Amino acid sequence: MPVMTNSLGVAGYGEVSAATAPLLFGVVAFTLGLPEAMTFVFARTGRRRGRALAISCGVTGVTGLVATMVVALVADWLAGGDAELASLIVIGTLALTPALLVGLLRGVAVGYGAWGLISIERTTSAIVRLLLIVTLAFAGNLGVLTATVSIGVSTFAGSVVYIFLWRRGASTDPPTSAVDVRFRGVMAYGGKVWIGAMAGVVLGRFDQLVMTPLSSTRELGLYVVAVVISESVVVVTVAIRDVMFGAESHSPNSSKLAQASRLSTMLTVFAALAIALIGPWAIPFLFGEGFAAAYPVMLVLLLASVVGNPGMIAGSGLSGRGSPELRSYSMIVAALVNVVIVVGLIPLTGAIGAALGTLLGNAIMAWLNIRWMRTRFGLDQSMILLNRSDIQVVRDSMRRLGPGSGR
């Protein structure tokens, strides 16, 4: 991102963000909840999983193609009437179908607990994007088009590693519960997750999708920089959420779930404070002086990340325990509030209005998810405030990672 912002400027980077926003929106919006369904199926049963995967691949392929055509039809509106930008949106969205299929395989890997493959896939994609962007910049060929293509290609560049999933045979453990791997069963579970995923993508990406027609590409450029910086504080939380989803699908444990929420929230708070302190210097230095105005937007989004953290972990518990619709209800309410604020404030305040919408939406989502865990599953532990056992876990971890630990 610093390479692109310094090479393209605020307006140019805003155009890249506008061109790739439908792709990044679609990668989450058009999954139909099938990656999560694959995690649930592969974690809970050792029989007939290939059938469920084949169904999911077929549905995902068709959905990706249809979604690409839909984006092409509305590209002119998304581009604010800019014909050249509309063409870039269509080009970027060509990566949607392969990106959706990679997400499906990633869901299978989570169900297997193949965290090494997931790490390699994501790292490979990031390295490919970095090498493409840096090479183009040094060659003097980094423009809005080449940057858009680079981002599109990198969404599925690491998928080749999932060829090693075939080596993992069916589990020898008895299934923890009956799982319907027929078309109806897979789609039923996926549909429950997808409703929440759609609401989640509205909460997290809708503002970027409509920023250009409601405001300008400049405001979008500032906002995307602030979003990416703020999202860096929840990198660990996202990893913990994925692990807890797999663990809760296999063997629910309220004590571990609550502790994961408390510790990840603590890490998020520390990371947010550190970034907030260095932000006034780091943003202009890394991204260019034109992006200094992103700092107040970033502060609001950092707070939103902290507030939403325990809700993310609670949501993984709800989905893992076979009740993804409860998480979906929370996300729907949060998304509706977010849309009202975004549509009302972006034309008046630009990026800061979108950030306020995210903050309130995250707060609502977190409160509802935690409430569902308490009322439906009897969670009687705090998911926010640390206790003595958490402090001991931190101390033990530091000792294992410290000098002389042998690790």
Side-chain angles (χ1 to χ4, degrees):
M1 181 177 286
V3 176
M4 286 192 288
T5 55
N6 282 283
S7 298
L8 303 174
V10 178
Y13 183 70
E15 290 180 3
V16 173
S17 300
T20 56
L23 168 63
L24 301 179
F25 181 92
V27 166
V28 181
F30 300 113
T31 63
L32 304 184
L34 293 176
E36 290 82 1
M38 290 300 93
T39 295
F40 191 72
V41 168
F42 278 74
R44 287 212 170 193
T45 182
R47 298 190 293 269
R48 296 184 298 162
R49 296 179 294 190
R51 178 180 181 179
L53 179 59
I55 291 170
S56 298
C57 285
V59 173
T60 298
V62 172
T63 302
L65 292 175
V66 172
T68 301
M69 290 187 288
V70 170
V71 171
L73 291 174
V74 299
D76 187 63
W77 179 80
L78 293 173
D82 185 328
E84 184 176 350
L85 182 56
S87 298
L88 290 171
I89 289 174
V90 174
I91 291 171
T93 311
L94 292 176
L96 180 57
T97 300
L100 288 172
L101 290 171
V102 172
L104 197 66
L105 294 175
R106 191 181 300 126
V108 173
V110 173
Y112 274 133
W115 307 110
L117 291 181
I118 296 171
S119 178
I120 293 171
E121 179 257 316
R122 287 177 166 167
T123 302
T124 301
S125 294
I127 291 174
V128 167
R129 179 180 300 187
L130 178 64
L131 290 176
L132 286 173
I133 295 296
V134 171
T135 301
L136 288 167
F138 274 105
N141 294 321
L142 182 61
V144 176
L145 172 60
T146 54
T148 299
V149 172
S150 298
I151 292 172
V153 169
S154 67
T155 59
F156 57 87
S159 60
V160 66
V161 304
Y162 289 128
I163 194 174
F164 294 104
L165 283 174
W166 70 271
R167 293 184 176 180
R168 295 176 178 267
S171 172
T172 56
D173 297 332
T176 58
S177 64
V179 178
D180 188 352
V181 297
R182 295 171 299 173
F183 178 83
R184 182 175 60 183
V186 171
M187 295 305 297
Y189 183 91
K192 293 177 182 178
V193 175
W194 180 66
I195 294 172
M198 278 296 295
V201 77
V202 169
L203 181 60
R205 300 294 180 189
F206 176 76
D207 44 16
Q208 297 179 40
L209 195 66
V210 300
M211 185 77 73
T212 298
L214 292 181
S215 183
S216 67
T217 55
R218 179 184 182 279
E219 288 295 312
L220 178 59
L222 294 174
Y223 186 65
V224 171
V225 166
V227 167
V228 172
I229 296 173
S230 64
E231 286 182 347
S232 68
V233 306
V234 295
V235 169
V236 174
T237 299
V238 171
I240 293 173
R241 179 200 63 190
D242 291 346
V243 172
M244 293 310 301
F245 176 42
E248 288 285 301
S249 295
H250 186 269
S251 180
N253 187 314
S254 294
S255 178
K256 289 183 179 180
L257 183 73
Q259 186 171 71
S261 174
R262 294 192 299 268
L263 292 175
S264 62
T265 299
M266 177 194 69
L267 291 172
T268 303
V269 169
F270 288 157
L273 288 174
I275 291 176
L277 289 173
I278 67 173
W281 167 80
I283 292 177
F285 176 78
L286 291 174
F287 304 106
E289 290 293 336
F291 288 88
Y295 180 69
V297 181
M298 182 199 73
L299 291 179
V300 177
L301 291 174
L302 285 174
L303 180 59
S305 295
V306 172
V307 169
N309 186 89
M312 292 172 60
I313 304 300
S316 70
L318 294 172
S319 296
R321 296 177 189 216
S323 297
E325 70 278 6
L326 298 180
R327 173 181 173 272
S328 295
Y329 299 154
S330 303
M331 298 301 296
I332 290 170
V333 175
L336 290 174
V337 173
N338 175 264
V339 168
V340 172
I341 295 175
V342 162
V343 173
L345 291 185
I346 284 182
L348 301 174
T349 60
I352 197 71
L356 291 172
T358 300
L359 173 59
L360 186 56
N362 279 7
I364 292 172
M365 174 273 295
W367 179 75
L368 287 174
N369 278 350
I370 294 173
R371 182 176 176 81
W372 286 123
M373 282 299 301
R374 295 190 187 284
T375 57
R376 181 62 65 90
F377 298 105
L379 182 71
D380 59 355
Q381 299 184 50
S382 172
M383 299 193 73
I384 302 173
L385 300 177
L386 295 176
N387 58 34
R388 290 184 178 180
S389 65
D390 301 328
I391 296 173
Q392 187 60 48
V393 168
V394 173
R395 288 176 177 173
D396 292 344
S397 299
M398 293 178 68
R399 290 193 189 102
R400 288 195 296 267
L401 295 174
S405 65
R407 298 190 180 189

